[in-house]
Amino acid sequence: MLIVQPHHDGSTLYVPEPIVLGQPTRLRIRVPQAWGTTTRIWIRSVQDGEPRYNEATKTSDADGWAWWEGQMLVVNPVAHYRFFIEADGRYWSLNAEGLFSRDVSDYSDFRVTAFNAAPEWLHRSTLYQIFPDRYARSAQADTHPTPDWAIACAWNTPVQGTGPQTSYQFYGGDLPGITEKLDHIQSLGADIVYLTPFFPARSNHRYDASTFTAVDPLLGGDQALVDLVEAAHARGIRVMGDLTANHSGAAHEWFVKALAEPNSEEAGYYYFNADHTKYESWWGVPSLPKLNWSSEALRRRFVLDDDSVVARWLKPPFNLDGWRIDVGNMTGRLGSIDVNHEVARLIANRVREINPNAALLAESTSDAAPDFDGEHWQGAMTYSNFTRPLWSWLATDAPEVNFFGTPLAGANRINAEDFLATHADLVSDYSWPVRSQNMNALNTHDTARAATVMIDGCQSLAAVLMFTMPGVPVMFAGDEFGLKGFNGEESRTPMPWPELPAPAVTVNDLRANYSALTQLRREHSVLTEGGIRWIYAQGDLLGFVRESVDAAMLVLVARAASEIELDTTVLSQAQLTALEAAPAFSAGTITATKDPATGTLKLRTESLAAAVWTLPGVEN
């Protein structure tokens, strides 16, 4: 059944003006004539905690839709609202989760915010994540000695996903190796390189930094980072770093001093018990002692000083373009202590002081929305609203897969309607800008690989959703070669470069597919600026329209043989006609057949497939 119902989202089609605190803002809603006879619509906002109602007026009828418009006073920096609709003698509430014929919580109301905007480039970018030890070795890598903590591995040595060797297998990838591969990254269409930590450490993942003041010599040292950023910038590619604001390593110079000198300033950077014999750490892992953000001295040294950890790497000569904050959801939180938002605000203000055009993302792997209102973190590295339901919809029989740390033996299989319900539920609590700046990933260095989790061939289909839904698409290095892995550690496979000896992994070359999708997103601004309206979610098939006044795009993804019949309840006649042309992108085959008697259009596929069509824009 087609989804025919009133629609609003946070794009400029419906929120056409900049948000200014203390000023009214215009809000628009469209109602399909096929849905019912609408007599009145109110905008229900929450102002200083109290609901207010402002009546909207009908402004036009176009292409089978009635457009209504009203105003809301933006009293608070985060302004919540929904639409209260009177139609055919009934009352409905439309919020960011969907349409309801009953009262619903304020939690999923639409929201606009009056905070500082993120840099414009962020939501338009495609991000390429690199785990440095496994990406590429330069010639100088051969001169680096194997550290005492490491187990030296040849490039084609199989990765141990679990066991005592997992964190210590050392392949010797370095930053000059990444610089040498920038042409490859550029050919994929990525415009942000996101590096997992580059600080010295005692593990291959480097989340256990032993200092924040230098680049690991095993990666080439400080100059190697300078050279990488300069070479990337020359190609129009930005570079972001990865910062552990929640913890340091146990070998960190601060912690070493804190442990040895209970009365030192550094001892206040961490949580020790009364007799200084025990300390708090991330998930009880002794090598990752937890930072105590109640310490004013830590705040100065990590954030506020001229040469603080946050500041140093954003300034010349390094010139990073932003940070991804590791476990942002846990930073500043321990039991009854919660200074998380205070710390986030501190870091964000400092980043803006140094470079207003820098990005600031943070990891929060579950329901991230309560910590991401747009005041500080600009977007979330999260899995709940996209990655997890996508895995579940496209899941194959892979019981060995680590499903995001849950007790489940592999992904929990669902149909398309549950994918959409889960996505709508967990994305509804973000403002539109934050939603557009969240990282949409099929997988990362902390998860299994999509190629392991999904039905054979479905990684390409999943990539279509990643590049066409609101959010920043994320390629984890190796996705373009279809690499596999049952958990995050096994997924950190060395890159199977064609010029190297045959790798110990199966390669499925998807480079052309990813390049085509980045080009599609770059050439069609509606995929980064337009709204999103779902028109179908049932069983094996998902369909939605990205739309603006100037252009629209229809996206269909089928995990098995499917068909859908489209009519003027969801698309205009001009849009239906445009679907008779070849799609702008396709993976698999979807055929279109028009019924001359009714004017409807049937789209059909005999197997898994995805396609994206360009359509005329929205009349309003």
Side-chain angles (χ1 to χ4, degrees), residues 22-35:
Q23 297 297 315
T25 193
R26 286 193 298 140
L27 301 170
R28 309 180 74 213
I29 179 176
R30 61 197 284 209
V31 182
Q33 292 167 354
W35 178 71

Side-chain angles (χ1 to χ4, degrees), residues 280-362:
E280 294 290 343
S281 60
W282 178 79
W283 280 118
V285 178
S287 62
L288 302 173
K290 187 173 177 69
L291 294 169
N292 179 2
W293 281 97
S294 297
S295 165
E296 291 298 327
L298 173 66
R299 294 184 180 205
R300 290 195 302 272
R301 202 159 177 185
F302 203 100
V303 182
L304 297 174
D305 286 350
D306 287 343
D307 200 34
S308 70
V309 179
V310 167
R312 171 180 173 81
W313 304 98
L314 300 177
K315 296 178 177 181
F318 304 106
N319 294 316
L320 287 181
D321 297 289
W323 289 112
R324 175 264 195 189
I325 304 297
D326 185 57
V327 287
N329 54 321
M330 299 181 74
T331 299
R333 286 181 170 137
L334 181 67
S336 61
I337 300 168
D338 190 346
V339 292
N340 178 270
H341 289 199
E342 196 175 320
V343 175
R345 191 176 301 113
L346 189 76
I347 293 173
N349 288 343
R350 188 72 175 110
V351 168
R352 278 193 289 266
E353 284 176 8
I354 297 163
N355 180 4
N357 204 34
L360 185 61
L361 305 174

